[in-house]
Amino acid sequence: MKPLILILGYLTAATLPLALSWGIGGPPRPFRQELASGLGILAFSMILMEFVLSGRFKSISRGVGMDVTMRFHQVMASVALGFALLHPFLYQGTPSGGQRPWDPSRQLTLTTDFSDLATGIAALLLLASLVLLAIGRRQLDYKYETWRLIHGVGALLIALLLLHHTVYAGRYGSQPAMTWLWGAMTGLAVGSLLYVYLLVPLFGRTRAWRVTSVTQLTPRQWQVTVTPEGHPGLDYKAGQFVWLNVGHSAFSIKENPFSICSAPAAGPAVSFMIKELGDFTRTIGQIKPGTLAYLDGPYGSLSVDNRNEPGVALIAGGVGLAPLLGILRQMRLTGDPRKVRVIYGNRTAEQIAYREELAAEDVTHVLSEPTQTWQGETGFIDAALIDRLFSADEFKDWVFVMCGPAIMMDIAEDHLIKQGTPSHRILSERFDYD
């Protein structure tokens, strides 16, 4: 239901300028020109809504999940780009003023001032560049912090360029009511950036943390624990995540999202299970105890709190164990009466983290590249394995929580639905911050 509310709210806000422009009216024009204006209006309003979707707003994160919000953000950005590309090529008829050298066909230009058109052209090129860079971010292999900076600055420039283009080159944008609406929407979009990059860090400065330990779990996995300094800590639910900033200013963009693997019931200290993958994570082992840290969160909806299912299934792949371990620890510490079963997949035995803690009978280990002495399950977390571990009643009645490689979650989710598990009893989050 909550994702539906998000979609309805988005559609209402995105179509508001279109509805107002229709109400304002004007002299009749050919249908293609009206369609061109409509697509341009929709593209601009959708781009402004992208600022809210990509912003870190806990009410959205907790309601529908950050991964759902980000995937919706990615899809809508592509749709907005499509509308923006169609927008100029649908105009037809005789433009005002004389023929311009940049428009020999006299099909595109509706204004004599090239500067008003230039801002729209520049915004379109920037938008296309941001979308392409997002799609190819991993192939280009540049730093995540660099990507965040490019994305933020680029989006801000697009919004300001489009505001100028819409007000000075658009038929409807020059109307006072539309100008006011576009200004207000652009202000809200820019305000969301200021909230994420200025207000949140400003508040975070008063709630600093200190690194108390950095422990190697496996050859490439670490546990980092931080404790609050001068404040009570973080009010979070097991399974949620935060943006972690270690050793930098509160206003630094050098922060990364990590799931919390500790349990709220264990006390104010917060722990993270981190795998060496990128520029920051490769330096985890070099972090010294006492290093200053900042946390922004909690975010996410991967929680089994206040649910009434009789059992909880936790399906993890690799470092995806982190949020599920937090859930398992919380259930054990609070004496949760629900049954629990854990499936934990890795490539090799040396990659298994928290071996002693996960040695209980309700934990099934799976290795895709086992040694000859391995006594546990082999292969991958697939439909056959899931069928062996859960009964028909458990498929229908339990809640299934999963985190790990996308292909693992796709296979598990599809099979659970096939076996009769209601979609509201399948919890997962995929993180892809494009």
Side-chain angles (χ1 to χ4, degrees):
M1 187 63 181
K2 289 180 179 178
L4 179 60
I5 294 174
L6 170 67
I7 293 173
L8 291 176
Y10 177 90
L11 290 175
T12 300
T15 56
L16 179 60
L18 188 64
L20 182 59
S21 66
W22 178 80
I24 290 173
R29 289 193 306 176
F31 173 75
R32 283 184 58 177
Q33 289 192 11
E34 293 295 347
L35 179 60
S37 291
L39 290 178
I41 290 171
L42 277 176
F44 187 22
S45 60
M46 290 171 67
I47 289 168
L48 294 178
M49 290 301 297
E50 291 292 281
F51 284 77
V52 178
L53 290 177
S54 61
R56 287 161 14 197
F57 299 100
K58 295 174 184 175
S59 58
I60 298 177
S61 166
R62 292 172 180 172
V64 299
M66 182 68 83
D67 68 317
V68 175
T69 306
M70 293 309 299
R71 277 184 282 173
F72 192 65
H73 165 76
Q74 293 160 2
V75 171
M76 289 300 101
S78 299
V79 173
L81 175 60
F83 287 169
L85 288 171
L86 287 172
H87 161 68
F89 295 101
L90 286 173
Y91 283 113
Q92 62 179 357
T94 304
S96 58
Q99 182 174 348
R100 265 76 65 189
W102 62 85
D103 184 19
S105 66
R106 300 170 64 89
Q107 296 294 305
L108 305 181
T109 307
L110 295 179
T111 176
T112 58
D113 191 344
F114 182 67
S115 64
D116 299 339
L117 295 173
T119 52
I121 295 170
L124 178 59
L125 293 175
L126 268 176
L127 177 61
S129 299
L130 282 190
V131 172
L132 291 175
L133 284 173
I135 294 172
R137 178 164 66 89
R138 286 179 175 77
Q139 289 75 13
L140 295 173
D141 195 29
Y142 50 90
K143 291 184 178 181
Y144 175 71
E145 293 82 4
T146 303
W147 158 245
R148 282 192 66 194
L149 183 61
I150 292 174
H151 204 64
V153 174
L156 178 60
L157 287 175
I158 289 171
L160 297 178
L161 288 169
L162 284 180
L163 179 61
H164 178 272
H165 173 72
T166 302
V167 170
Y168 290 97
R171 181 193 195 197
Y172 298 105
S174 60
Q175 299 295 323
M178 288 294 294
T179 300
W180 182 90
L181 178 60
W182 284 127
M185 291 183 66
T186 303
L188 288 174
V190 174
S192 71
L193 279 182
L194 294 177
Y195 171 80
V196 171
Y197 291 102
L198 181 62
L199 294 183
V200 170
L202 190 63
F203 176 73
R205 290 185 63 188
T206 65
R207 298 176 64 85
W209 298 68
R210 292 282 178 183
V211 176
T212 52
S213 66
V214 178
T215 306
Q216 188 165 17
L217 302 171
T218 70
R220 295 184 59 199
Q221 295 182 108
W222 302 78
Q223 176 176 291
V224 177
T225 300
V226 297
T227 56
E229 188 169 79
H231 59 92
L234 188 69
D235 182 15
Y236 70 98
K237 295 180 180 179
Q240 291 188 299
F241 73 96
V242 302
W243 291 76
L244 176 65
N245 172 351
V246 179
H248 302 287
S249 161
F251 298 94
S252 173
I253 63 172
K254 294 183 178 180
E255 54 179 358
N256 294 270
F258 293 112
S259 294
I260 301 170
C261 69
S262 53
V270 175
S271 296
F272 306 93
M273 175 184 174
I274 301 174
K275 184 176 182 179
E276 296 179 15
L277 291 172
D279 296 292
F280 166 68
T281 55
R282 291 192 186 101
T283 65
I284 289 293
Q286 302 172 21
I287 297 174
K288 304 297 182 183
T291 302
L292 197 65
Y294 297 98
L295 274 57
D296 174 25
Y299 295 98
S301 58
L302 204 67
S303 169
V304 299
D305 290 3
N306 303 317
R307 299 187 68 100
N308 57 9
E309 289 90 353
V312 178
L314 305 173
I315 304 175
V319 76
L321 174 69
L324 309 192
L325 182 61
I327 293 173
L328 179 64
R329 286 171 165 173
Q330 180 72 0
M331 293 180 69
R332 288 176 174 176
L333 286 172
T334 59
D336 195 310
R338 290 174 290 183
K339 294 181 180 178
V340 64
R341 191 167 300 141
V342 181
I343 306 176
Y344 179 26
N346 283 287
R347 187 170 58 85
T348 63
E350 70 174 5
Q351 294 177 338
I352 298 175
Y354 305 101
R355 278 202 180 199
E356 295 183 2
E357 188 174 352
L358 297 176
E361 294 181 358
D362 55 12
V363 179
T364 299
H365 291 280
V366 187
L367 296 185
S368 60
E369 297 180 13
T371 61
Q372 293 183 348
T373 59
W374 175 250
Q375 299 296 315
E377 294 282 351
T378 60
F380 298 93
I381 298 176
D382 55 16
L385 174 65
I386 293 172
D387 282 342
R388 290 200 303 272
L389 296 176
F390 298 98
S391 67
D393 289 339
E394 290 169 342
F395 279 125
K396 294 178 181 179
D397 298 334
W398 283 30
V399 58
F400 289 78
V401 190
M402 61 191 72
C403 188
I407 188 170
M408 181 207 79
M409 291 195 288
D410 289 340
I411 291 172
E413 287 178 352
D414 291 344
H415 187 66
L416 289 172
I417 292 173
K418 180 181 178 182
Q419 293 296 81
T421 306
S423 59
H424 68 273
R425 289 190 177 138
I426 302 174
L427 308 181
S428 65
E429 284 192 334
R430 294 167 170 80
F431 302 108
D432 191 10
Y433 292 93
D434 288 342

